[in-house]
Amino acid sequence: MKALWIENRCLTYRNDIPEPQPAPSEALIRVRLAGICGTDLELLRGYYEFTGIPGHEFVGEVISLGEGEINEWSGRRVVGEINIPCGGCSMCLKGYPTHCEQRMVLGIRGHPGAFAEALVLPVRNLHRVPEGVSDLAAVFTEPLAAALEIQEQVKVRPSDQVLVVGAGRLGLLAAQTLALTGCKLQVAARHPLQQRILGDWGISWIEEGEIAERGFDIVVEASGSPDGFALARRAVRPRGTLVLKSTYHGELTANFSSLVVDEVTLVGSRCGPFEPALRLMKTGLIDPRPLIQGVYEFEDGQKAFEQAARPGGLKIILLPEANAR
Amino acid sequence: MKALWIENRCLTYRNDIPEPQPAPSEALIRVRLAGICGTDLELLRGYYEFTGIPGHEFVGEVISLGEGEINEWSGRRVVGEINIPCGGCSMCLKGYPTHCEQRMVLGIRGHPGAFAEALVLPVRNLHRVPEGVSDLAAVFTEPLAAALEIQEQVKVRPSDQVLVVGAGRLGLLAAQTLALTGCKLQVAARHPLQQRILGDWGISWIEEGEIAERGFDIVVEASGSPDGFALARRAVRPRGTLVLKSTYHGELTANFSSLVVDEVTLVGSRCGPFEPALRLMKTGLIDPRPLIQGVYEFEDGQKAFEQAARPGGLKIILLPEANAR
């Protein structure tokens, strides 16, 4: 089958990859659309050890099932959770499968990803896409779930003043979900396209220089840059909460004494719940499609990654050739 | 009056300090006992700009009141909250007076401290010491309140596995208060005296090398050292909580990506509630007196600070000469 392949920090298009076979308890899924995420760009930069097919944001269709799996999934349009836990370690047994110590992660660790014509995932990872949610929306389920993880971890009050630092792929989704709380939301947005999208959604954006120091009850750091972290740290009020929604390359230096003196709570936040994400798109309360900036076939994967990596770049969608015809 | 004085990183004993006069809304308090805290040692090391009388842990007696204050406080045995807020800034108006941006802090910032025969504090900072709580216990009210701030900020479940890193002055008090939750508590303790005190309290202590990586739901960092922070970080499980109970000299480097991937919550924690501290000492559920390692008169302040600064040093009490007679 056709797929994109990362090896030695190089991305190549290949059409010689054998189609995966579903093991018992797995489903074989034909990929309808896939999305490029910041983590994919980091895999290519070599921030994580990875060789294989990247990609973990997708919407697809179940085309076959491993031995013993019931047929109700057959032909279903699905999205899939990306963590594949072992089921037996202490984290799994405590009910934190996304933190399984031996976990495989679709397109990120030990499991071939979604930038391919087909992928396999355990059936228990799948969620049916409701009617009325288009493929172009459903492909955002995974990052939208990650945005919702903020509300899963932190109580956001309708009266809170909330700042999102960074209006990229994840920052814009976080802004959309935070706006649902009724909180007083501002988004630090640098790029005209980001500012326009926020404006269309009726969400206030501000320039970095205008941000009130110690002015926010909750600050979401979604820029992934040390400068963004420093900005977010300055913006959070004493006893406020700083949500870290991005990973950082390497180590980061911070003044921990000031975190203690100001009694700031720092919350690391990663993968989130799929069903609420699907519900919010079904009801139309969230429509992530304005984030789409380009659609490419796998053969143009290199161009797609280049566009996604541009400063202020938003969502790039990959389309298996079969669909494009 | 007699007092200890810090100036240019030097501690001196002086007997030429004018006794302070209570302004309206203030009380003049004769100090019965005072305690040396890690922050006092840091003031002397010059970590914070400070010239004047240090000391913020005390028990005393109200000897006079500013104009217009009602007499019910007169002669009362009291302890006092150390933050003196402005009452008018946004933090004060939001109900976070301990985070007032213009706050003075007893013996730490802009307000003469407790290592003196007398001090003044606003009457609203005072708490009566209940009968049955001795001076030697009451002098621990402020640090015991700081230990209780952990439970004020973080939910500690009886089934949680909790680790305290550092069994110094604050770590031991935190261990005592955390033990009240029924949680499975372990304390990383280096020094024989610390280990003996924990043993007497029936609290498990362990060597640093024995600490299970990612084994604890909640880790309290009370060592104030970068090594202690690194140890605490390794010990907290994914989705666990790391409470920072100590300040650190200078900046600290940490891997923030791993905080995000493991979805760890970091909570900075400082001053706490006085009334619960007094209640727990009154009922006898907490007795901090085993932490006392020495009692010195003000004239021997230098020796007192030296003993407090020794590795593994616990609580040193200062006694105004008038009491010592």
Side-chain angles (χ1 to χ4, degrees):
Chain A
M1 66 176 182
K2 294 165 179 172
L4 296 181
W5 187 266
I6 287 180
E7 192 164 350
N8 297 325
R9 303 191 187 195
C10 282
L11 183 78
T12 50
Y13 166 72
R14 291 175 59 169
N15 59 12
D16 61 346
I17 311 278
E19 189 169 272
Q21 297 300 316
S25 83
E26 286 184 339
L28 176 67
I29 296 153
R30 185 169 62 80
V31 174
R32 292 162 71 110
L33 295 176
I36 300 178
C37 160
T39 305
D40 302 317
L41 303 173
E42 293 188 351
L43 291 178
L44 188 55
R45 290 185 190 122
Y47 290 176
Y48 304 94
E49 192 103 10
F50 183 80
T51 298
I53 302 168
H56 56 277
E57 300 178 1
F58 74 95
V59 54
E61 193 179 307
V62 176
I63 45 178
S64 74
L65 290 154
E67 219 180 288
E69 275 305 319
I70 44 171
N71 242 344
E72 65 171 80
W73 285 100
S74 204
R76 296 296 184 194
R77 199 161 61 107
V78 295
V79 289
E81 302 207 30
I82 70 174
N83 293 284
I84 304 162
C86 73
C89 72
S90 67
M91 284 298 118
C92 285
L93 295 175
K94 276 185 181 173
Y96 307 116
T98 59
H99 291 281
C100 165
E101 284 160 25
Q102 279 90 42
R103 69 184 179 276
M104 305 289 143
V105 187
L106 180 70
I108 295 173
R109 180 157 58 181
H111 194 93
F115 298 162
E117 287 183 286
L119 60 85
V120 295
L121 265 183
V123 169
R124 67 169 179 275
N125 281 43
L126 303 183
H127 296 263
R128 285 179 60 176
V129 178
E131 273 187 51
V133 177
S134 72
D135 284 352
L136 283 172
V139 72
F140 284 90
T141 306
E142 197 276 336
L144 183 57
L148 285 168
E149 181 73 353
I150 299 167
Q151 277 97 311
E152 196 76 16
Q153 294 176 285
V154 175
K155 179 172 178 60
V156 182
R157 292 179 178 80
S159 59
D160 279 338
Q161 299 221 29
V162 179
L163 174 70
V164 175
V165 175
R169 285 171 280 268
L170 192 53
L172 285 174
L173 292 175
Q176 252 195 318
T177 53
L178 287 164
L180 297 174
T181 67
C183 71
K184 190 173 172 196
L185 178 65
Q186 293 186 293
V187 181
R190 278 185 181 171
H191 300 277
L193 175 61
Q194 299 170 345
Q195 295 167 353
R196 186 178 62 68
I197 291 171
L198 288 163
D200 289 347
W201 289 342
I203 295 173
S204 304
W205 58 267
I206 47 173
E207 306 270 6
E208 287 171 20
E210 297 167 3
I211 294 170
E213 290 210 3
R214 302 157 76 90
F216 296 87
D217 302 295
I218 297 170
V219 180
V220 175
E221 205 304 284
S223 80
S225 77
D227 285 353
F229 175 80
L231 186 72
R233 172 64 192 92
R234 285 198 301 275
V236 71
R237 69 160 167 82
R239 288 222 185 151
T241 299
L242 204 170
V243 180
L244 301 180
K245 207 56 231 180
S246 293
T247 55
Y248 301 84
H249 182 213
E251 309 256 300
L252 199 65
T253 297
N255 187 316
F256 279 69
S257 286
S258 80
L259 294 177
V260 173
V261 170
D262 287 346
E263 297 195 318
V264 167
T265 295
L266 226 80
V267 179
S269 177
R270 191 169 45 104
C271 298
F274 272 45
E275 287 296 330
L278 290 165
R279 279 196 294 274
L280 286 167
M281 290 192 288
K282 181 170 167 55
T283 57
L285 284 166
I286 298 281
D287 182 358
R289 288 172 296 183
L291 270 70
I292 297 174
Q293 229 183 353
V295 180
Y296 293 84
E297 295 178 10
F298 284 163
E299 279 172 287
D300 295 322
Q302 188 68 45
K303 276 190 213 159
F305 268 63
E306 278 164 20
Q307 189 180 352
R310 274 182 216 147
L314 296 180
K315 187 57 73 184
I316 302 300
I317 301 294
L318 291 166
L319 191 67
E321 203 190 1
N323 272 7
R325 276 177 198 150
Chain B
M1 66 177 181
K2 294 165 180 173
L4 296 181
W5 187 267
I6 286 180
E7 193 165 349
N8 297 326
R9 303 192 186 193
C10 282
L11 183 78
T12 50
Y13 166 72
R14 291 174 60 169
N15 59 12
D16 61 346
I17 312 279
E19 190 170 273
Q21 297 300 315
S25 83
E26 286 184 339
L28 177 67
I29 296 152
R30 185 169 61 79
V31 175
R32 293 162 71 109
L33 295 176
I36 300 179
C37 160
T39 305
D40 301 317
L41 302 172
E42 293 188 352
L43 292 178
L44 189 55
R45 289 183 192 124
Y47 290 176
Y48 305 94
E49 192 103 10
F50 183 80
T51 298
I53 303 168
H56 56 277
E57 300 178 3
F58 75 93
V59 54
E61 193 179 308
V62 176
I63 45 177
S64 74
L65 289 154
E67 220 181 287
E69 277 304 321
I70 45 172
N71 242 343
E72 66 171 81
W73 285 100
S74 202
R76 297 295 185 193
R77 199 160 60 109
V78 295
V79 289
E81 302 207 29
I82 69 174
N83 293 286
I84 304 161
C86 74
C89 71
S90 66
M91 284 298 118
C92 285
L93 296 175
K94 277 186 180 171
Y96 307 116
T98 60
H99 290 282
C100 165
E101 285 159 24
Q102 280 89 44
R103 69 184 179 273
M104 304 289 144
V105 187
L106 180 71
I108 294 174
R109 180 157 57 179
H111 194 94
F115 298 163
E117 287 183 286
L119 59 86
V120 295
L121 266 183
V123 169
R124 66 170 179 273
N125 281 43
L126 303 182
H127 297 263
R128 285 180 59 177
V129 178
E131 273 188 51
V133 177
S134 71
D135 284 352
L136 283 172
V139 72
F140 284 90
T141 306
E142 196 277 337
L144 182 57
L148 285 168
E149 180 73 353
I150 298 168
Q151 277 99 310
E152 197 75 16
Q153 296 177 283
V154 175
K155 179 172 177 60
V156 181
R157 292 180 177 81
S159 59
D160 278 338
Q161 299 220 27
V162 179
L163 174 71
V164 175
V165 175
R169 285 170 280 268
L170 192 53
L172 286 174
L173 292 175
Q176 252 195 317
T177 52
L178 286 165
L180 297 174
T181 65
C183 71
K184 191 173 173 195
L185 177 65
Q186 294 186 294
V187 181
R190 279 185 180 169
H191 299 277
L193 175 60
Q194 299 169 344
Q195 294 166 354
R196 186 178 60 68
I197 291 172
L198 288 163
D200 288 347
W201 289 341
I203 295 174
S204 304
W205 59 267
I206 47 173
E207 306 270 6
E208 287 170 22
E210 298 166 2
I211 293 170
E213 290 210 2
R214 303 157 77 91
F216 295 87
D217 302 294
I218 297 170
V219 180
V220 175
E221 206 303 285
S223 79
S225 77
D227 285 354
F229 175 80
L231 187 72
R233 173 63 191 94
R234 285 197 302 275
V236 71
R237 69 160 167 83
R239 288 222 183 153
T241 299
L242 204 170
V243 181
L244 301 180
K245 207 57 231 181
S246 294
T247 54
Y248 301 84
H249 182 213
E251 308 257 299
L252 200 65
T253 297
N255 187 315
F256 279 68
S257 287
S258 80
L259 294 177
V260 173
V261 170
D262 287 347
E263 296 194 320
V264 167
T265 295
L266 227 79
V267 179
S269 178
R270 191 169 46 105
C271 298
F274 271 47
E275 287 297 328
L278 290 165
R279 279 196 294 273
L280 286 167
M281 290 192 289
K282 182 170 166 57
T283 57
L285 284 166
I286 298 280
D287 183 358
R289 288 173 296 183
L291 270 69
I292 297 173
Q293 229 184 355
V295 181
Y296 293 83
E297 293 177 13
F298 284 164
E299 279 173 285
D300 296 321
Q302 187 70 47
K303 275 191 213 157
F305 267 64
E306 278 165 19
Q307 189 179 353
R310 274 182 215 146
L314 297 180
K315 188 58 73 186
I316 302 300
I317 301 294
L318 291 167
L319 192 66
E321 203 189 2
N323 271 7
R325 274 176 196 149

